[in-house]
Amino acid sequence: MKTILFLLALFSVSAYATTAKQACDELKPVVKDLQAQAPMDIDYVTTLTGVQVFYVSNICILNYSYVLKTTKFLDDMAKQNELSIDENLAFLKTEDGVAALQGSFDDIAKNSANTNFKDFKKIKGMHILYSYSFDDTEVPSIRATVMENEL
């Protein structure tokens, strides 16, 4: 429930900002509140470990950091593709595996841009990123761009 309330607060804040600087200034207290609640389970695989917002060179950067439970992620993969856990883990360490992860997380980011962050689309210099790490460091980390508005 806290997550839902935070997200509603975040989106109402963004509706008033017209510049990247205003967006960052308005997001700082909301992000601070969310940081105090972290880590926060988003679902059975994903934990939000932090949120950062900072303003630099006329750009407001909002970054969400997530950690994924590797075992549960691999279990889900195995159910979908009928490969073993070890085979899926080996795949994720390959160039093709990283590309597949990147594509999946890019799709999530694109969907968020069109649904959760649409009010930010009008703000020049607004950048929103999702950073994904696995609790097994053998699986590469992925960064997905939700939006990167030109100045």
Side-chain angles (χ1 to χ4, degrees), residues 35-125:
Q35 288 171 335
Q37 297 175 49
M40 180 186 307
D41 288 336
I42 303 301
D43 58 35
Y44 69 100
V45 176
T46 313
T47 301
L48 177 70
T49 57
V51 179
Q52 306 81 31
V53 64
F54 50 95
Y55 182 76
V56 61
S57 300
N58 297 320
I59 297 171
C60 179
I61 300 170
L62 177 61
N63 183 69
Y64 290 82
S65 300
Y66 299 100
V67 172
L68 301 170
K69 296 170 185 77
T70 308
T71 302
K72 292 183 185 213
F73 190 88
L74 291 169
D75 284 342
D76 284 351
M77 281 183 72
K79 288 174 188 171
Q80 291 177 12
N81 64 19
E82 299 181 8
L83 297 175
S84 73
I85 301 271
D86 290 338
E87 289 170 320
N88 280 310
L89 179 58
F91 173 71
L92 292 180
K93 295 177 189 178
T94 68
E95 193 173 306
D96 287 342
V98 172
L101 280 175
Q102 187 69 57
S104 293
F105 292 131
D106 284 345
D107 287 345
I108 292 168
K110 182 178 179 181
N111 185 50
S112 287
N114 292 325
T115 56
N116 302 328
F117 295 106
K118 60 185 172 186
D119 288 340
F120 285 107
K121 286 184 173 187
K122 65 183 181 218
I123 301 173
K124 293 181 180 179

